[in-house]
Amino acid sequence: MKTYDKIIFELSRAGRKGYSLPADNFETNGLADIPESLLRQKGPDLPEVSELDVVRHFTNLSTKNFGVDTGFYPLGSCTMKYNPKINEELSNHPAFTGLHPLQDEKSVQGALELYWNLQKMLSNIAGLAEFTLNPYAGAHGELTGLMVMRQYHLSRGDHKRTKVIVPNSAHGTNPASAMVAGLEVVEVKSKPNGSIDVEDLKPLLDDTIAGIMMTNPNTLGMFETEIVEIAKLVHDAGGLLYYDGANLNPLLGKVRPGDMGFDIMHINLHKTFSTPHGGGGPGSGPVGVAAHLVEFLPNPHVVKDEDGKFHVDFGKNSLGNISTFLGNVGVMMRAYAYILTLGKENIKKVGPLSTLNANYIKESLKDDYLLPIEGVCKHEFVFDGLKDKSTGVTTLNVAKRLLDYGFHAPTIYFPLLFHESMMIEPTETESKETLDEFIEVMHKVAKEARETPDEVKNAPLSTIVRKLDETTAAKNPILSFKALKEAENEK
Ligand SMILES: *Cc1c(COP(=O)(O)O)cnc(C)c1O
């Protein structure tokens, strides 16, 4: 691959051409009946490039990114597992992609059946009465679930319940969603092992509490063994329990949030159920609820009639619409195919295998990396940076150095409980050889940190761009030639 000191953006040369027009489906021979006044006077301002320029441009761009399909991606809390290509193929089937949401119900019975079946499958997996598949993402599911929580209390005339308890180790979207739902966030402390401090929780539970948001295993990958007691305390105080099921990998087919006492949850189909993610969408965050909350689920909802037909229903106690139509159906199709492919027996292997992989890495690396919480973790765990910090090599440096060795970095500086957090989630789809390679490289980086620390501090050395100014890149991204020109003109 060619690398450039300065990336060349401008490929356009006046008069250069390379295009083929799509077939004329309307048989107008290119002469559609468009009034003169609506026709362009001047051609669009597009790059003038040959077909070869375009092929090379996009092929080269595709190699400059990192993905699960190019290498190991142990990004904690994100479940970057391999997404089988057959699910992709199915979700792109024209019989489904060609549907229109306003089509008559009678003509989309197959799609509605798939939708209804997936609602039921997720209900079984979660141990909850009913699911809506409408939300577009995990955070959107959280918001929907919290709106259900509010609606429940309001429907009982219980107007005082405006607070939601969130552990200080929670994913950032939890308190954010609570705020957007108009609820006040109350923080509950974690014990040194990352689990909820029940003694700190008790005094918070009064008649202003709408509920608690939790995840189990928690953000540190540890199972909350006191969950049954916590559920009882919250329910006795009149609150509801919300389960953040973004990462359902560890408990698929093994443990059900409904059985632990949770009333509401969301699932990220784009983490656990085979939709590629990390690029910003599309996603899906189905929300499940216990029987006493079903009436509040958002509209519309797919139901099965007595005659076996399916229809789209609008409930009168529903909190209303939270999406256009029924959500991201393509994502649901992948999840549906994925669950059916694994089947009841194989789906139970996801948790044990991802747990085994996480523990294997943890135990293999804890001589070089600081393990703040000993013991068996679930699908992920957290190191607090290098054990030997004397040369000043940070978690950020290690993360960047991993790129030089062809691995994506773990999640870094999250959770906030430790200064140098490094959250590793290998998932169940990686082979022992890949894990061994990663372990070897992590040891190598630790050795470099001791012996040649500057090399690690200056990493990455081999990527197309070196260390980025991440704040500027996030706040003022320059993603096109036009934007670059404008930025240069401003200078
Ligand atoms: C990813 C994640 C979310 C948010 O999901 P989005 O689809 O990114 O909105 C919420 N909670 C946890 C624990 C997560 O890992």
Side-chain angles (χ1 to χ4, degrees):
M1 194 195 2
K2 246 198 303 188
T3 54
Y4 302 97
D5 285 338
K6 183 176 184 320
I7 295 171
I8 298 169
F9 277 102
E10 181 57 279
L11 298 174
S12 184
R13 293 294 175 275
R16 203 167 277 175
K17 278 184 185 164
Y19 58 78
S20 48
L21 292 173
D24 179 0
N25 288 333
F26 302 100
E27 294 176 7
T28 60
N29 299 321
L31 298 169
D33 202 7
I34 299 170
E36 190 72 27
S37 62
L38 294 178
L39 288 175
R40 276 180 188 282
Q41 298 308 309
K42 211 169 127 254
D45 190 15
L46 293 173
E48 297 180 77
V49 286
S50 71
E51 184 171 320
L52 180 58
D53 290 334
V54 175
V55 169
R56 282 195 183 142
H57 176 69
F58 286 108
T59 307
N60 282 326
L61 270 188
S62 76
T63 65
K64 287 179 181 118
N65 213 342
F66 196 102
V68 181
D69 290 355
T70 57
F72 184 48
Y73 206 135
L75 198 66
S77 195
C78 292
T79 314
M80 304 301 283
K81 64 185 182 184
Y82 176 66
N83 303 298
K85 297 291 170 264
I86 185 143
N87 303 336
E88 211 57 42
E89 232 170 86
L90 286 168
S91 84
N92 285 330
H93 196 289
F96 290 94
T97 54
L99 299 180
H100 192 282
L102 292 177
Q103 235 169 290
D104 189 87
E105 267 169 21
K106 283 198 215 85
S107 69
V108 292
Q109 284 294 306
L112 294 181
E113 181 174 356
L114 184 153
Y115 197 97
W116 188 86
N117 285 348
L118 184 59
Q119 285 176 182
K120 289 294 154 212
M121 284 173 174
L122 295 179
S123 301
N124 281 337
I125 287 172
L128 290 167
E130 191 73 70
F131 261 81
T132 172
L133 311 182
N134 298 7
Y136 291 124
H140 194 202
E142 289 172 26
L143 175 63
T144 306
L146 290 166
M147 285 165 76
V148 169
M149 191 184 274
R150 275 207 78 172
Q151 194 83 354
Y152 165 77
H153 291 305
L154 291 178
S155 77
R156 297 154 52 91
D158 205 347
H159 296 270
K160 268 193 299 188
R161 295 191 181 270
T162 55
K163 294 182 191 157
V164 60
I165 299 171
V166 180
N168 59 359
S169 63
H171 195 271
T173 50
N174 291 185
S177 301
M179 296 290 284
V180 176
L183 294 162
E184 191 187 324
V185 176
V186 183
E187 206 176 88
V188 58
K189 285 205 196 79
S190 303
K191 287 194 286 204
N193 73 357
S195 57
I196 284 186
D197 187 338
V198 177
E199 290 314 310
D200 193 58
L201 174 67
K202 281 179 186 165
L204 302 177
L205 295 169
D206 59 24
D207 62 359
T208 64
I209 294 299
I212 185 169
M213 291 184 92
M214 285 178 64
T215 181
N216 191 17
N218 63 29
T219 306
L220 296 176
M222 307 304 278
F223 196 82
E224 296 273 1
T225 51
E226 291 175 297
I227 183 60
V228 174
E229 192 196 341
I230 293 173
K232 185 170 183 327
L233 287 170
V234 175
H235 283 148
D236 285 351
L240 298 177
L241 280 90
Y242 184 97
Y243 185 93
D244 179 342
N247 316 113
L248 215 58
N249 243 19
L251 45 77
L252 269 187
K254 284 278 172 193
V255 186
R256 308 193 309 171
D259 298 337
M260 292 184 220
F262 287 93
D263 306 283
I264 311 171
M265 75 177 293
H266 82 270
I267 296 175
N268 277 26
L269 295 187
H270 51 289
K271 280 178 181 165
T272 312
F273 294 98
S274 185
T275 279
H277 59 288
S284 177
V287 170
V289 294
H292 59 298
L293 302 172
V294 173
E295 60 183 306
F296 306 119
L297 283 175
N299 283 330
H301 197 70
V302 177
V303 294
K304 189 176 185 176
D305 301 329
E306 271 167 19
D307 61 0
K309 299 245 166 46
F310 299 89
H311 84 268
V312 178
D313 189 58
F314 290 79
K316 70 175 191 321
N317 293 335
S318 158
L319 57 83
N321 290 51
I322 48 95
S323 56
T324 48
F325 306 104
L326 290 161
N328 281 329
V329 177
V331 179
M332 291 159 206
M333 294 193 60
R334 292 187 187 93
Y336 188 64
Y338 176 76
I339 295 171
L340 285 181
T341 309
L342 286 185
K344 245 186 186 149
E345 286 313 309
N346 283 318
I347 212 163
K348 289 184 189 153
K349 295 183 188 158
V350 171
L353 284 176
S354 56
T355 296
L356 178 66
N357 286 356
N359 281 284
Y360 181 60
I361 294 182
K362 170 170 68 65
E363 292 303 312
S364 305
L365 288 175
K366 68 179 188 183
D367 52 341
D368 268 339
Y369 294 85
L370 186 62
L371 182 65
I373 298 162
E374 283 282 351
V376 180
C377 64
K378 289 290 171 278
H379 62 307
E380 63 191 357
F381 65 94
V382 181
F383 281 135
D384 188 5
L386 282 159
K387 211 167 189 175
D388 177 359
K389 296 186 172 65
S390 62
T391 57
V393 171
T394 63
T395 281
L396 176 67
N397 300 147
V398 173
K400 295 293 179 195
R401 187 63 175 147
L402 282 173
L403 292 173
D404 283 332
Y405 291 112
F407 290 109
H408 196 280
T411 293
I412 57 173
Y413 300 106
F414 176 81
L416 308 176
L417 298 176
F418 312 111
H419 289 299
E420 291 289 320
S421 284
M422 196 183 274
M423 188 181 199
I424 299 178
E425 180 185 7
T427 83
E428 76 283 10
T429 59
E430 299 296 335
S431 67
K432 178 158 182 297
E433 290 74 25
T434 302
L435 303 183
D436 284 336
E437 242 181 287
F438 176 70
I439 290 164
E440 194 188 317
V441 162
M442 286 288 280
H443 278 308
K444 201 166 165 180
V445 174
K447 187 163 181 273
E448 287 175 351
R450 287 191 296 272
E451 295 170 3
T452 49
D454 282 342
E455 202 169 1
V456 186
K457 288 179 191 172
N458 288 324
L461 305 169
S462 65
T463 47
I464 178 84
V465 284
R466 299 280 305 279
K467 205 177 277 180
L468 299 173
D469 174 347
E470 288 174 10
T471 314
T472 309
K475 289 199 168 150
N476 304 308
I478 297 177
L479 301 175
S480 67
F481 178 59
K482 213 167 136 193
L484 178 76
K485 274 273 166 83
E486 279 165 13
E488 278 174 357
N489 286 342
E490 271 173 31
K491 272 188 198 155

